[in-house]
Amino acid sequence: MRNTIIAGNWKMNGTRAEAETLLKELLPLLDPTDNTKIVICPPFTALATVQTVTEGTEIELGAQDVFWKDKGAYTASISPKMLVEAGCRYVIVGHSERRGRFGVPEPDFDSNILAYFGDSDETVNRKLRAALANDLIPICCVGETLAERQANETDAIVSGQTKAALVGVSAEEAGTVVYAYEPVWAIGTGETCASEEADRVCGVIRGAIAELYGYETSEAAHIQYGGSVKPDNAKELLAKPNIDGALVGGASLKAADFAAIIAAAP
Ligand code: PGA
């Protein structure tokens, strides 16, 4: 039986002062007897603050991205070793806001620019492998854009991104990765994927893992749903058999909402 993992992706929100305030509101709202795993992924600059304030609590620390080299002339990059030293146990890789989707027309989106940082399937794979090599648990995000969904490409995209992320990864490692199905059109938009469909696509991810490594590995893997998860839809999503947690953006910035999402886990 897989436990539930709820991760808060603060994105580019949270000065150190704001992080402290938010956590001091959140901590008293958590039930210490709950065995749901909680991960908070603040900006790099707030990692130390989150680590200090959550010391001795069940909250684990995650980063939002990582570079695959250990050190060197890679201006502005952070290595897996640096994250481990900073107390991280998890790291998000391949978030759609980091994947390059330039030039993909999205008429229903605010802008044609869906991502700013140019991650590709190959760089996501390198980041994931570097994380694993340093005993960090990658939270590997995959998901289709609205145009891809409308073109009936969802399953191919999600399965392709999952398999590409796992190139060169052993079965044992693949079972420890946390996968996050994050439909791009549902992120930060208030649009949630219907729970049946989110469950179905998480099943597609599980199927891709099974194709590569077999049933046992695919059953061991945790798969989160992410995209406008809120207190009022969390219970239904988290009750689904293929959904083992949530990757929460906007709602993780409100202590009461994040606590309610954690409490909604089965
Ligand atoms: P959201 O973000 O909850 O604000 O939609 C989710 C994510 O991007 O991880």
Side-chain angles (χ1 to χ4, degrees), residues 7-11 92 95-97 141 180-191 224-230 246-253 261:
N9 172 13
W10 287 5
K11 309 192 178 182
I92 298 171
H95 192 280
S96 62
E97 287 154 18
C141 301
Y181 170 48
E182 294 221 312
V184 176
W185 49 271
I187 295 175
T189 58
E191 292 272 340
Q224 298 176 318
Y225 167 77
S228 300
V229 176
K230 299 183 218 80
L247 183 53
V248 186
S252 71
L253 297 169
I261 291 168

Side-chain angles (χ1 to χ4, degrees), residues 82 88 152 185 205 225:
M82 291 169 182
C88 290
N152 282 325
W185 49 271
I205 296 172
Y225 167 77

Side-chain angles (χ1 to χ4, degrees), residues 203-226:
V204 170
I205 296 172
R206 209 175 291 290
I209 301 165
E211 270 180 51
L212 293 176
Y213 304 103
Y215 176 77
E216 246 176 65
T217 303
S218 76
E219 282 298 301
H222 284 81
I223 305 179
Q224 298 176 318
Y225 167 77

Side-chain angles (χ1 to χ4, degrees), residues 79-201:
S79 77
K81 288 193 183 346
M82 291 169 182
L83 294 183
V84 170
E85 188 193 40
C88 290
R89 183 82 188 98
Y90 291 80
V91 61
I92 298 171
V93 296
H95 192 280
S96 62
E97 287 154 18
R98 310 275 329 168
R99 283 183 189 258
R101 295 293 192 94
F102 291 98
V104 180
E106 276 287 308
D108 295 333
F109 219 73
D110 266 4
S111 153
N112 280 345
I113 300 173
L114 294 181
Y116 305 91
F117 304 107
D119 258 344
S120 65
D121 281 347
E122 196 194 346
T123 62
V124 172
N125 171 249
R126 286 182 188 221
K127 290 175 177 192
L128 182 134
R129 281 189 290 147
L132 288 169
N134 287 278
D135 287 330
L136 287 162
I137 299 171
I139 300 177
C140 176
C141 301
V142 300
E144 82 288 0
T145 63
L146 185 60
E148 288 161 348
R149 170 159 286 268
Q150 287 167 340
N152 282 325
E153 290 168 3
T154 299
D155 296 11
I157 293 285
V158 160
S159 158
Q161 288 180 348
T162 303
K163 289 180 179 175
L166 291 169
V167 170
V169 173
S170 71
E172 197 189 328
E173 289 172 326
T176 67
V177 171
V178 175
Y179 303 83
Y181 170 48
E182 294 221 312
V184 176
W185 49 271
I187 295 175
T189 58
E191 292 272 340
T192 323
C193 187
S195 59
E196 289 74 26
E197 176 63 3
D199 185 54
R200 188 192 70 77
V201 183

Side-chain angles (χ1 to χ4, degrees), residues 251-265:
S252 71
L253 297 169
K254 294 185 194 131
D257 285 3
F258 195 50
I261 291 168
I262 294 162

